[in-house]
């Protein structure tokens, strides 16, 4: 677990600390940057990570799975193996502590991430709007698949997905691919959380994938104070009231100290 955090509230930009301290409802929206310091590559740097030859948009789609199920299945298995070998970082841990230790505040986490690092840090996650790596289901009859799945050997680029026990079709990852709708209940919960929030923290997302990327603007028009925590400028930076150019592990422990 790498942390570059100084757990001192004095490190927090004062307007950020004031807004968070005076909020009774906080919505935390997280993206791949939340897991970067756990060693899970983000999509922006995925090209230097797992698969330099394919862009996530090329692999994270129903067409890609129909065209080359073994390649797509291997990519997801590889990512699941990497997540299983990773640990929550200080940012995940801080959010979990915050949910437990601030009874006077409601802290709801909605994530684009398909990993389980928030949960493994002890957080309750309101919604995984793009699904999870853990949920595997039949690509045709949608039967959940509980069976064993083989690991991808080092260097192997393809591995055949297991067959559904009910209809024999290949199983698929339980994630939302580009062009697929978001799960309705999850999306409704996130929209309600953002509408009700006094403060919305946008942590570790480049803000390019919709409809999730529309949430900061929605929060702002609903009257929330919107705060971005990200080392870099993003597509939603100008939707926010405050930006804190910091990493998740280097900021959240101080914010919730
Ligand atoms: C839908 C699951 C409709 C799979 C994912 C044109 C305009 C607008 C929209 C569209 C358009 N054309 C198509 C669309 C819609 C499309 C879309 O938005 N496309 C984009 C590319 C333009 N959206 C969809 O298709 C969605 N569905 O619209 O359905 C519909 C309705 C009814 C019926 C049918 C259809 C579905 C989108 C979901 C796709 N699935 N994930 C998987 O994981 O493989 S998306 C995936 O990519 C992630 O879930 C995430 O959402 C996105 C990656 O974004 P980030 O999380 O932000 O990560 P990224 O690497 O980009 O950025 C990392 C950030 O962290 C950076 O800013 C970096 O600076 C920062 N960072 C780095 N280190 C740290 C850090 N921050 C903090 N600390 C650090 N240490
Ligand atoms: Zn089936």
């Amino acid at each position: 677990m790498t942390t570059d955090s100084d757990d001192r509230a004095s490190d927090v930009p004062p307007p950020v600390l004031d807004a968070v301290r005076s909020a009774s409802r906080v919505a935390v929206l997280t993206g791949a940057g939340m897991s970067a310091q756990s060693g899970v590559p983000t999509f922006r740097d995925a090209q230097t990570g797992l698969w330099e030859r394919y862009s996530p948009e090329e692999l994270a789609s129903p067409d890609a799975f129909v065209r080359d199920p073994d390649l797509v299945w291997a990519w997801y298995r590889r990512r699941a193996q990497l997540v299983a070998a990773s640990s929550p970082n200080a940012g995940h841990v801080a959010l979990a502590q915050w949910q437990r230790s601030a009874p006077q505040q409601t802290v709801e986490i909605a994530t684009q991430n398909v990993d389980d690092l928030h949960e493994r840090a002890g957080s309750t996650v309101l919604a995984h709007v793009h699904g999870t790596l853990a949920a595997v289901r039949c690509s045709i009859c949608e039967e959940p698949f509980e069976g064993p799945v083989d690991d991808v050997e080092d260097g192997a680029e393809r591995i055949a997905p297991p067959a559904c026990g009910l209809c024999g079709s290949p199983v698929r990852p339980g994630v939302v691919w580009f062009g697929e709708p978001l799960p309705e209940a999850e999306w409704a919960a996130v929209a309600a959380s953002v509408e009700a929030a006094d403060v919305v923290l946008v942590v570790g997302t480049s803000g390019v994938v919709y409809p999730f990327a529309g949430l900061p603007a929605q929060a702002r028009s609903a009257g929330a104070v919107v705060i971005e925590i990200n080392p870099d400028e993003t597509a939603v930076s100008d939707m926010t009231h405050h930006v804190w150019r910091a990493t998740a592990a280097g900021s959240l422990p101080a914010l919730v100290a």
Side-chain angles (χ1 to χ4, degrees), residues 202-249:
V202 187
V203 185
T205 180
S206 58
V208 297
V209 174
Y210 283 81
F212 194 88
L215 291 172
Q218 189 181 333
R220 191 176 175 126
S221 46
V225 175
V226 185
I227 298 165
E228 176 174 73
I229 296 180
N230 193 317
D232 300 331
E233 175 97 14
T234 74
V236 292
S237 298
D238 56 7
M239 302 288 171
T240 63
H241 295 96
H242 308 293
V243 292
W244 185 2
R245 290 286 167 247
T247 63

Side-chain angles (χ1 to χ4, degrees), residues 137-143 163-171:
R137 68 168 190 268
C138 177
S139 58
I140 301 297
C141 73
E142 309 219 332
E143 174 76 2
C164 164
L166 218 56
C167 75
S169 310
V171 299

Side-chain angles (χ1 to χ4, degrees), residues 112-138:
Q112 300 169 92
N113 299 339
V114 293
D115 65 50
D116 60 351
L117 293 171
H118 279 305
E119 288 87 346
R120 282 163 55 195
S123 273
T124 304
V125 173
L126 177 73
H128 278 270
V129 297
H130 295 156
T132 65
L133 287 169
V136 176
R137 68 168 190 268
C138 177

Side-chain angles (χ1 to χ4, degrees), residues 139-226:
S139 58
I140 301 297
C141 73
E142 309 219 332
E143 174 76 2
F145 182 78
E146 313 294 342
V149 286
D150 299 331
D151 280 356
V152 185
E153 301 297 321
D154 272 354
E157 236 189 43
R158 285 178 172 76
I159 182 171
C164 164
L166 218 56
C167 75
S169 310
V171 299
R172 59 163 283 179
V175 300
V176 179
W177 279 328
F178 286 101
E180 293 186 323
L182 274 56
E184 270 176 40
E186 311 270 280
W187 182 245
V190 177
S193 175
V194 154
E195 286 290 323
D198 306 305
V199 164
V200 172
L201 295 184
V202 187
V203 185
T205 180
S206 58
V208 297
V209 174
Y210 283 81
F212 194 88
L215 291 172
Q218 189 181 333
R220 191 176 175 126
S221 46
V225 175
V226 185

